């Protein structure tokens, strides 16, 4: 499976700062991801957690059982060397996704530790970024399997 991982506060999507994140809920995003996976003939594991260490463990699981990672690390994007090291430490490609365009926001969002380990980043396209992220992740996984 492709592991689709979501970080802190993304459980609040729908009502959280709708002027930035829109009104799409995390359940809507999960449905879109499942639809995309069905179209591509792959399975997904979809998880959200507010805890940094839990994300580290999910990345480890993806390394053991998954073919690729699509991750929206949310605020941990900008702070977490632990997530960076976890992604570096597993042998599966990771695509970083953001609903908003972090570099166009506050200066502290311009830094992404996760980008140092991600194969690519999709940001600013809302929920559609997850669909594109899954497509990219599946292509990378398939290219590696050849
Ligand atoms: C986010 C952007 C981050 O800067 C922020 O902390 C989030 C969401 C996004 O999807 O746009 O929580 O990752």
């Amino acid at each position: 499976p492709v592991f689709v991982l979501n970080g802190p506060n993304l459980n609040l999507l729908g009502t959280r700062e709708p002027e930035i994140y829109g009104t799409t809920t995390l359940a809507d995003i999960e449905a879109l991801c499942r639809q995309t996976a069905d179209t591509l003939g792959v399975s997904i594991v979809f998880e959200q957690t507010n805890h940094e260490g839990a994300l580290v463990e999910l990345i480890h699981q993806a390394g053991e059982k998954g073919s690729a990672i699509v991750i929206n690390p949310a605020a941990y994007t900008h702070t977490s060397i632990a997530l960076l090291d976890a992604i570096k430490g597993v042998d599966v490609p990771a695509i970083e996704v953001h609903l908003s365009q972090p570099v166009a926001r506050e200066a502290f969002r311009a830094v992404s530790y996760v980008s140092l380990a991600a194969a690519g980043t999709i940001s600013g396209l809302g929920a559609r970024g997850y669909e594109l992220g899954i497509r990219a992740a599946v292509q990378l996984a398939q290219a590696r399997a050849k």
Side-chain angles (χ1 to χ4, degrees):
V2 175
F3 277 61
V4 183
L5 306 179
N6 295 279
N9 302 305
L10 294 173
N11 55 310
L12 299 180
L13 287 175
T15 54
R16 172 195 183 198
E17 301 184 88
E19 64 287 359
I20 295 172
Y21 298 114
T23 52
T24 304
T25 66
L26 192 64
D28 295 334
I29 291 175
E30 179 171 358
L32 172 71
C33 288
R34 295 204 178 278
Q35 209 174 39
T36 303
D38 283 351
T39 304
L40 298 174
V42 300
S43 62
I44 58 168
V45 171
F46 190 96
E47 297 284 352
Q48 188 274 332
T49 173
N50 295 316
H51 303 275
E52 186 175 14
L55 278 173
V56 168
E57 286 171 359
L58 284 164
I59 291 165
H60 295 174
Q61 274 182 36
E64 285 161 25
K65 299 177 200 156
S67 59
I69 297 168
V70 173
I71 184 166
N72 183 347
Y76 293 137
T77 306
H78 318 299
T79 63
S80 181
I81 297 167
L83 288 187
L84 166 63
D85 285 350
I87 294 169
K88 278 179 148 175
V90 296
D91 190 27
V92 288
I95 302 289
E96 177 184 356
V97 170
H98 300 285
L99 296 157
S100 69
Q101 178 75 302
V103 293
R105 298 173 61 191
E106 301 97 323
F108 60 80
R109 295 187 205 273
V111 171
S112 168
Y113 288 96
V114 168
S115 287
L116 295 169
T121 302
I122 298 166
S123 59
L125 302 179
R128 197 166 136 65
Y130 282 77
E131 178 192 334
L132 298 170
I134 290 171
R135 288 181 180 276
V138 168
Q139 282 180 21
L140 288 174
Q142 285 172 350
R144 283 163 55 101
K146 277 185 190 149

